[in-house]
Each structure stands twice: as structure tokens, then as C-alpha cells.
Amino acid sequence: GEMDYVRVLNRVLPPDVRVVSWAPVAADFSARFDATSRTYHYFFARGKLDIAAMRDAARRLVGEHDYRNFCKLDPNVSSFVRRISAFEVRPVEPPPGTVGGAGRRGAG
């Protein structure tokens, strides 16, 4: 059968980094140049986070902006304008078995 890539990768990743899914692509697919959109989820350790300030900053990033100062110089890239469709900041509880979550994950 097919290899369980999620399990294989999670075995070697630190407990606070998790792979949740994967999908096959054509051999010539470039994640950098062929993707038409991306979704990111970032999780921060609990602490004295100013959620209101983070939401204000996130709101300012929504829309089309020139991100050339954040980009790697690449002669193949002609435009540094990117569109952020949505940006949400919300507290979440860490899942069980992860750093900060209830319980411990076995060596599986």
C-alpha cells in the first residue's frame, strides 16, 4: 500500500511541529510558482500576547500590497504584489499530545 507520509514525517518532527495532510502533485509542480493560493496557520506559545494589537496589525495586511522587502531577490519574479484575503487572530487551545496540550503523545 501507499506510505503513510503524515505518520512518517511526524515521527521525526519535533512535537510542536505537525504535518496534518498531504496531496500528490505532478513531478514538475513548483509549490512556489504554480500554487494559486496558500493558507497558513501559525500558533504561538501562550504568554502575554496583546491579541488586540495583533488583530490591528493583521487587519492592516489584508488587501493588495507590495511585499518586495520581504522577498528573496529572484530574476524570475516580476511582481511582488500579493493579496491577503483574510487574516484572523484568535486564541485556541492546543490539541492534546502537543506542547502545551493535555496528555502526552506516545512514541507511536
Side-chain angles (χ1 to χ4, degrees):
E2 192 169 275
M3 185 179 295
D4 184 354
Y5 291 109
V6 171
R7 185 172 180 198
V8 169
L9 290 170
N10 284 332
R11 279 182 157 170
V12 297
L13 289 169
D16 56 343
V17 176
R18 299 285 89 194
V19 172
V20 294
S21 67
W22 72 278
V25 295
D28 63 345
F29 177 80
S30 167
R32 182 174 179 202
F33 295 108
D34 295 334
T36 57
S37 69
R38 294 175 176 85
T39 300
Y40 298 92
H41 295 268
Y42 295 96
F43 297 90
F44 299 92
R46 292 181 191 208
K48 295 182 180 182
L49 300 176
D50 187 338
I51 301 297
M54 293 170 72
R55 286 180 174 147
D56 180 57
R59 180 185 54 78
R60 295 166 190 259
L61 294 173
V62 174
E64 286 194 3
H65 303 283
D66 187 325
Y67 287 95
R68 76 180 66 238
N69 292 327
F70 297 98
C71 295
K72 175 182 175 184
L73 293 177
D74 186 332
N76 297 317
V77 176
S78 59
S79 173
F80 300 96
V81 174
R82 301 293 181 265
R83 179 174 38 90
I84 295 180
S85 304
F87 195 139
E88 181 181 6
V89 176
R90 62 186 168 94
V92 297
E93 290 299 318
T98 62
V99 173
R104 294 185 55 98
R105 179 168 298 197

